[in-house]
Amino acid sequence: MKTIHALVAFCGMAWLASSPSHGESFDARITIQADRPGAMIDPNIYGQFVEHLGRGVYEGIWVGPDSPIPNTRGIRNDVVAALRKIHIPLVRWPGGCFAENYHWRDAIGPRAQRPRGVNTAWGDEVETNEFGTHEYMDFVEQVGAQPFISVNVASGSPAEAQAWMQYLTAPAGSGAGQERARNGHTEPWKIPFIGIGNETWGCGGNMTAEYYSDIYRQYVSVLKPYGRLIASDANSDDYAWTETLLGRALHRHPADMPTTLAYISKQPQIDMISVHFYTFSGNDWGKKSSAIGFSQADWARSMERTWKTDEMIARHSALLDRHDPEGKVGISFSEWGAWWATDKNRPSNLFQLNTLRDAVIAGLTLNIFQNHAARVRMANLAQMVNVLQALILTNKEKLLLTPTYHVFDLYQDHQGATLLPTLVAAPNYSSEAVKIPSMSASASRNARGAVTLSVVNIDPSREANVLIEVQGYLPRTAQGRVISATAMDARPEFGQPDPLAPASLRVTVRRGTIAFVAPAKSVAVLVLQ
Ligand code: AHR
């Protein structure tokens, strides 16, 4: 009641009418409830996903120590520098469906002696195994990120997964540690996150939820000592999968209690459930929109599908609330992003161009993740370099930062900050059969006390006159940056000035109330102090 009241009073402010307006526009109001702080926004929401697929690893990350492309021990310096700049916290590897065909022993030891395999998940391309466990760990360390390893369930075994974790983490004096040292790394690594299978309903074993849940229990019994365990994903809105998984695998058998340490028995066996969900234009995997040259109807359907992320998290969270009322178990949104029609000549490389539409999808999705920070504790963009909705595209020695990269850059201040609830009052955006909220917002307060607000205007034609009220906090200054362009498919090109590089945004502050114009189809981030 109090909130509605505040909004009405806010609406009546005389200077709203004098807000700058160019062409068609709508009015929007955002209320930031700084007096109702929520959960911490886990930096791992900004995590990435990398798979041996197309040019994602080979060329995108790994060029080899003898390459003329500047590298450190075979890993591209330009890619590492770009990822460090936006503080990428975590990289999931080696797949994806590739992980379900991966045998880690093929990719350790002297590179020249590693067997050459076939990437049966992706186009039967030759897998040189040049980039293996040591190269991945070197890469994440160079980036300053944490590792997240997905172990093979479909064609692997608990024993193989356990041996891999022992190899990675065993003390230097042990047999596994000595083998690791012979291969160049004496000190044990830490593996904070382990994924048990990938899409085990599909490429990861074609399993039923019941069967997977039982297999999961077996993996837990050998992997629990090594890291936090992430169960294989529900396919998007497959709530029955999550329900079955939580019912069968969240807790140990009660009968097991007396024979095991009580404190272990009481811990959930799942640290995070996971969800995979991709945006395309509409809901049909078979009819993908082109990455560029698409229609406004395609834009609208892409945004409508992206908004479904919100409902999906809410419904998976509701199941968690019932099975885990203490809130111990998180959600890892382990694969997300836009999936457009790919190169007909090499469809399995999943290379696609990245435009303003991808930036708006990224901003909207990250806002949704943040607004569910109490449960969403990790997410992984698919995929970091040269594959699907990438942050970075490379062309031999050249590198391009995508519009999606710029969104991750602008959103950095949210990482690790405290979520502040937001209320958005704005008209819907409608196009043909689509009718969705035109605006999304998410706010947080960092350790220095500054409030960061990210605002996405989804409407491709109308700018928004936005008024912001902050309850329980009096901002005196505001700075803003924005990503926008005239064309829906505006995009950067190698070697050309970037039309989507974040620009500064005019923001006014008057007696604690903030106003700015959010251009049509834009992602804006404001810092209030
Ligand atoms: O990201 C590409 C593929 O999409 C992954 O390998 C798989 O997990 C998903 O279906």
Side-chain angles (χ1 to χ4, degrees), residues 3 12 54 99 121 166 200-201 211 221 263 303 310 322 340 450 515 521:
T3 306
Q166 279 173 351
T200 47
W201 44 267
Y211 185 70
S221 66
Y263 73 91
M303 299 304 155
D310 193 48
R322 192 151 47 75
W340 309 128
K521 46 187 173 330

Side-chain angles (χ1 to χ4, degrees), residues 79-80 86 94 109 247 269 274 356 368 371 374 397 404 419 439 447 456 476 489 507 513 518:
V79 168
V80 168
I86 58 171
Q269 297 197 117
S274 60
L356 175 58
I368 292 169
N371 291 341
E397 77 289 354
T404 303
L419 179 72
M439 183 161 282
V456 181
R476 294 180 198 286
D489 62 352
V507 188
T513 300

Side-chain angles (χ1 to χ4, degrees), residues 172-324:
S174 66
Q178 284 168 345
E179 185 183 13
R180 185 185 61 236
R182 282 197 298 279
N183 290 330
H185 203 277
T186 307
E187 290 307 309
W189 284 296
K190 283 199 166 59
I191 305 300
F193 301 107
I194 305 166
I196 302 184
N198 172 81
E199 300 192 352
T200 47
W201 44 267
C203 70
N206 197 17
M207 298 174 186
T208 62
E210 289 78 7
Y211 185 70
Y212 171 70
S213 302
D214 296 346
I215 295 265
Y216 177 86
R217 301 180 72 92
Q218 190 186 357
Y219 273 80
V220 170
S221 66
V222 295
L223 295 183
K224 191 70 187 152
Y226 299 100
R228 292 172 67 73
L229 303 180
I230 296 154
S232 165
D233 50 284
N235 183 5
S236 318
D237 56 359
D238 187 351
Y239 307 112
W241 176 280
T242 298
E243 175 63 30
T244 303
L245 175 71
L246 293 173
R248 285 175 88 101
L250 185 59
H251 299 293
R252 293 176 74 101
H253 286 299
D256 194 24
M257 292 280 204
T259 58
T260 44
L261 294 172
Y263 73 91
I264 294 178
S265 304
K266 283 183 194 145
Q267 295 306 314
Q269 297 197 117
I270 299 173
D271 292 300
M272 290 189 233
I273 61 164
S274 60
V275 182
H276 288 188
F277 179 61
Y278 286 92
T279 288
F280 14 89
S281 167
N283 297 311
D284 188 343
W285 275 90
K287 289 188 196 151
K288 301 228 178 59
S289 150
S290 167
I292 55 173
F294 48 83
S295 65
Q296 195 181 135
D298 279 331
W299 172 283
R301 284 193 289 262
S302 316
M303 299 304 155
E304 182 185 42
R305 185 159 164 101
T306 306
W307 263 120
K308 285 184 195 292
T309 310
D310 193 48
E311 181 193 340
M312 220 168 280
I313 296 171
R315 292 190 59 185
H316 286 293
S317 297
L319 297 175
L320 281 172
D321 289 347
R322 192 151 47 75
H323 288 273
D324 169 44

Side-chain angles (χ1 to χ4, degrees), residues 20 102 127 134 160 195 374 376 433:
Y102 188 64
E127 169 56 56
H134 288 249
E160 184 186 23
V376 179

